[in-house]
Amino acid sequence: MVTKHKSSLLDYLKKYYFLYILLAPAVILTLIFKYGPMYGAIIAFKDFSPIKGIMGSEWVGLYNFEKFLSSPNFEVIFMNTLKLSFFGLILSFPIPILLALMLNQIRRAGVKKNIQLFLYAPNFISVVVVVGMLFIFLSPTGPINQFFTWLTGEPIMFMSRPEYFRSIYILSDIWTGAGWASIIYVAALANVDPELHNAANLDGANLLQRIRHIDLPTIRPIMAIVFILAAGGIMSIGFEKAYLMQTAMNLPTSEIIPTYVYKIGLQSGDYAYSAAVGLFNSIINIVLLITVNFTVKKLNEGEGLY
Amino acid sequence: MPIRHSGLDRFIVVLNAIFLTLAVLIIVLPLIYVVIASFMDPSVLLSKGLSFNLSDWSLEGYIKILSNPAMIRGFGNSVLYSVSFAMLTVLVSICAGYALSDDRLKGKGFFMTLFIITMFFGGGLIPTYLLVKNLGLLDTVWAVIIPGAVNVWNIILSRTFFKGVPNEMKEAANVDGASEMRIFFSVVLPLSKPIVFVLALYAFVGQWNSYFDAMIYLDNPNLHPLQLVLRSILIQNQVDPGMISDQLAMAEMKRLSEIIKYAAIVVSSLPLIVMYPFFQKYFEKGVMVGSLK
């Protein structure tokens, strides 16, 4: 019995081994570069010494986590991270939906295509260039300050004042990504049966009523999924942009967990502590993802991400 | 039957057109500003701002940028990294996607779970860095190319694509006595041009625009991609003195550094600007297929 089973598995592999060969590179790379770091994350619970290696270093339990939670920086950095992502989510979530509803009103396909061409373009500009443009445009002698100087006689130090960091970060994010984020809603709206609109129109529904009762319900499931994913990523906001936008003067609001992890880890070499802070961040993220998914599912008649 | 518009409807349609025009302007004006400024005479730009008088224009910024060795080297490195990253990630994703699209593959659920978990959990920056370091990849091109080569989203995308290839084609080839390998290379691959194209485009753009991996893994400035060179010019304000001849005063330095920034932005974005209008529909296609899962 056993031998028979074995030989049929052998036959199977003989016939289909090629499929496994095709799959192998992806599996191997995933195990090394995705699961490897997951294993490596246990240095967060160790007094890591590069000489002793991950296995050889002493266990220190939650020491590194306690160190972060009790550090004087904790509250500021944690709140900066939360505020930046929360306000970002609240402000940038509705705009792609609005854009899609507006684009959906354009009847001429050629015009619509051309508008979309422009709306998507900033998505392809690198983060270095976007931040570079912010520094140029918002510099004390830049074009925007030429206006403010004319108006008040004083330029505004946008990039070095902590109170402006969040607004600049979020508004420029919207500039870069809102058009591109609208694609998915545009596509969903294209599937709405025009007969529905005709029928509602005959019944005397105006444009706003039709948008509210036909268009919005159509994209609601997608809205839910996009929202869950965005909320689940709330703590993993872009390190890349925040780091580039940081100046010594705006640090009180621009220091967020990912930039802090980078600095204490790679610049100061405190690997274990830094890994613990990173892990803390991921755990909050997962908790948020699960909570938001659960809540949206409740509110959205059982439709969630999973 | 055409939709009849009430007065309110007409009002909203007009308002809609105004808002969309505004949105387009907000997006386009900064870009136009950068392009025009890059052609301006630096001293005119600093004193008067933009000018549409052709005598105020100059190619100085471009001449400085294109004669800057760091910029040229960065451009070359970025081409190399982006092309090889695109080839590697497409190859890995297509192969895995094809295997996972085949119902005869045993353990499919297990492998999918293995991949999908990595979309939600990760080891974090420091463990990843230490791994790359321990593998001896620091300061090599491989550090930028290999760790990100497996992209779950790409695998799902190509799996979805191959599920759409009719099974009859594979079966017919099978009846003709073709091996699995033969079927993949002679039947499936020739059909997969669209998905190869979409994935390659995404990978190329992503790698072209990224700076982070290069920043943490590559110390040697000779290996730096364009985005890191740009970062030092645009954000750290380190205009290479070699770009400006030595005897010039600080004022001249400042005058030129402005114009160099604009030209650098345009030159670095050029490949994407040229590609963009032709490939827009493929980008859209990628997003759509990806969202369907």
Side-chain angles (χ1 to χ4, degrees):
Chain A
M1 194 68 192
V2 174
T3 39
K4 195 181 168 198
H5 180 76
K6 239 185 188 166
S7 75
S8 76
L9 185 67
L10 266 179
D11 285 346
Y12 171 81
L13 283 179
K14 219 177 215 168
K15 189 136 192 263
Y16 296 117
Y17 72 97
F18 184 64
L19 292 178
Y20 292 93
I21 292 180
L22 288 179
L23 192 58
V27 172
I28 292 168
L29 286 174
T30 300
L31 288 177
I32 297 177
F33 289 105
K34 296 285 170 17
Y35 286 90
M38 286 187 210
Y39 164 75
I42 61 173
I43 66 166
F45 302 95
K46 295 210 161 192
D47 177 18
F48 179 70
S49 125
I51 302 152
K52 291 181 192 161
I54 295 177
M55 286 316 289
S57 298
E58 305 280 322
W59 288 99
V60 289
L62 294 175
Y63 170 80
N64 287 313
F65 293 87
E66 281 160 12
K67 185 173 152 194
F68 179 51
L69 291 175
S70 60
S71 89
N73 296 330
F74 171 73
E75 205 185 315
V76 175
I77 296 173
F78 183 69
M79 288 316 285
N80 280 347
T81 315
L82 214 55
K83 279 182 193 162
L84 191 62
S85 352
F86 178 76
F87 292 136
L89 176 64
I90 296 302
L91 288 172
S92 47
F93 176 70
I95 291 180
I97 299 170
L98 212 63
L99 274 177
L101 291 172
M102 282 159 61
L103 278 168
N104 194 42
Q105 298 306 319
I106 309 281
R107 290 289 160 232
R108 286 219 296 245
V111 176
K112 191 173 162 186
K113 271 263 145 335
N114 281 325
I115 297 178
Q116 283 172 299
L117 191 73
F118 288 122
L119 292 183
Y120 300 163
N123 182 60
F124 297 97
I125 300 174
S126 78
V127 61
V128 173
V129 167
V130 170
V131 177
M133 281 167 64
L134 287 175
F135 272 107
I136 292 176
F137 285 130
L138 299 174
S139 87
T141 55
I144 289 175
N145 262 323
Q146 282 172 3
F147 173 73
F148 280 106
T149 315
W150 173 79
L151 204 67
T152 63
E154 285 280 321
I156 300 174
M157 312 303 262
F158 287 105
M159 300 307 283
S160 52
R161 294 279 289 276
E163 63 265 40
Y164 295 126
F165 174 79
R166 273 177 212 131
S167 315
I168 297 171
Y169 183 99
I170 293 168
L171 290 176
S172 59
D173 251 14
I174 293 175
W175 183 80
T176 323
W180 187 247
S182 70
I183 289 187
I184 180 149
Y185 300 114
V186 171
L189 286 171
N191 289 331
V192 173
D193 184 357
E195 282 305 311
L196 277 176
H197 277 280
N198 282 345
N201 187 246
L202 283 179
D203 289 344
N206 68 34
L207 187 55
L208 283 184
Q209 286 167 325
R210 281 184 274 127
I211 289 175
R212 188 169 156 216
H213 295 290
I214 301 172
D215 290 346
L216 276 179
T218 309
I219 55 176
R220 202 178 58 181
I222 297 175
M223 282 164 61
I225 289 174
V226 171
F227 186 81
I228 295 167
L229 284 176
I234 211 161
M235 301 295 285
S236 52
I237 30 157
F239 163 90
E240 305 209 344
K241 193 166 153 200
Y243 182 69
L244 291 173
M245 279 178 67
Q246 273 185 356
T247 60
M249 271 96 76
N250 67 22
L251 274 184
T253 55
S254 67
E255 189 79 295
I256 54 176
I257 295 181
T259 56
Y260 184 64
V261 168
Y262 171 73
K263 284 179 196 165
I264 52 172
L266 295 186
Q267 289 182 345
S268 318
D270 197 346
Y271 292 143
Y273 177 50
S274 181
V277 177
L279 205 55
F280 170 82
N281 197 44
S282 320
I283 291 166
I284 292 191
N285 229 348
I286 291 162
V287 171
L288 274 172
L289 180 70
I290 293 168
T291 318
V292 174
N293 186 52
F294 178 78
T295 317
V296 172
K297 227 164 154 178
K298 278 261 148 105
L299 297 174
N300 200 29
E301 296 153 13
E303 282 181 81
L305 184 60
Y306 51 86
Chain B
M1 170 150 334
I3 286 184
R4 283 170 306 178
H5 285 291
S6 65
L8 177 68
D9 285 8
R10 272 182 237 282
F11 175 69
I12 295 167
V13 168
V14 172
L15 212 61
N16 185 49
I18 294 173
F19 278 133
L20 271 180
T21 312
L22 274 178
V24 170
L25 283 179
I26 290 172
I27 281 176
V28 173
L29 285 180
L31 303 177
I32 294 179
Y33 183 93
V34 170
V35 173
I36 295 179
S38 72
F39 287 106
M40 293 286 299
D41 183 312
S43 36
V44 178
L45 183 68
L46 274 179
S47 58
K48 293 198 293 194
L50 292 193
S51 148
F52 294 91
N53 188 345
L54 274 182
S55 64
D56 293 336
W57 287 34
S58 105
L59 288 174
E60 218 172 340
Y62 287 97
I63 294 167
K64 298 285 175 205
I65 268 300
L66 294 175
S67 56
N68 173 19
M71 192 78 186
I72 306 280
R73 202 168 45 225
F75 204 96
N77 286 340
S78 279
V79 171
L80 177 74
Y81 301 166
S82 305
V83 170
S84 38
F85 176 73
M87 290 193 328
L88 181 65
T89 193
V90 167
L91 190 74
V92 172
S93 322
I94 295 281
C95 291
Y98 173 71
L100 289 168
S101 77
D102 196 319
D103 285 329
R104 296 165 305 180
L105 181 90
K106 287 191 178 165
K108 210 170 49 168
F110 167 77
F111 289 118
M112 275 316 283
T113 314
L114 188 82
F115 289 126
I116 288 184
I117 284 175
T118 66
M119 291 176 97
F120 297 100
F121 298 92
L125 174 69
I126 302 300
T128 310
Y129 173 83
L130 287 177
L131 177 78
V132 169
K133 188 178 168 188
N134 290 337
L135 291 173
L137 299 178
L138 278 196
D139 248 343
T140 70
V141 178
W142 305 114
V144 181
I145 295 175
I146 298 181
V150 191
N151 179 322
V152 180
W153 188 76
N154 284 351
I155 293 178
I156 293 175
L157 213 64
S158 35
R159 190 182 73 140
T160 312
F161 176 84
F162 289 123
K163 280 203 164 158
V165 174
N167 252 331
E168 289 76 27
M169 297 191 69
K170 283 197 255 174
E171 276 159 21
N174 207 342
V175 170
D176 289 345
S179 66
E180 289 298 317
M181 196 185 304
R182 187 74 203 278
I183 293 175
F184 178 70
F185 285 112
S186 337
V187 179
V188 175
L189 271 190
L191 288 173
S192 37
K193 270 182 214 137
I195 186 72
V196 167
F197 200 59
V198 167
L199 294 185
L201 217 52
Y202 267 94
F204 183 90
V205 172
Q207 186 67 35
W208 185 271
N209 281 341
S210 74
Y211 79 95
F212 180 61
D213 285 355
M215 179 178 86
I216 61 175
Y217 297 134
L218 304 178
D219 261 346
N220 181 353
N222 290 328
L223 295 176
H224 282 180
L226 192 57
Q227 298 299 332
L228 276 187
V229 180
L230 275 180
R231 170 171 165 256
S232 63
I233 296 175
L234 293 178
I235 291 159
Q236 299 172 322
N237 268 315
Q238 291 166 352
V239 172
D240 181 354
M243 262 191 265
I244 300 162
S245 61
D246 302 332
Q247 57 271 63
L248 295 181
M250 278 301 284
E252 177 69 358
M253 185 110 163
K254 186 167 164 34
R255 184 180 82 90
L256 277 173
S257 83
E258 277 305 300
I259 198 81
I260 283 171
K261 287 181 183 177
Y262 292 111
I265 290 178
V266 176
V267 170
S268 71
S269 310
L270 211 56
L272 301 190
I273 295 172
V274 174
M275 279 162 67
Y276 177 60
F278 298 104
F279 297 145
Q280 190 206 351
K281 62 173 181 218
Y282 294 100
F283 286 123
E284 278 180 49
K285 215 178 193 170
V287 172
M288 295 332 306
V289 180
S291 63
L292 293 173
K293 269 208 268 204

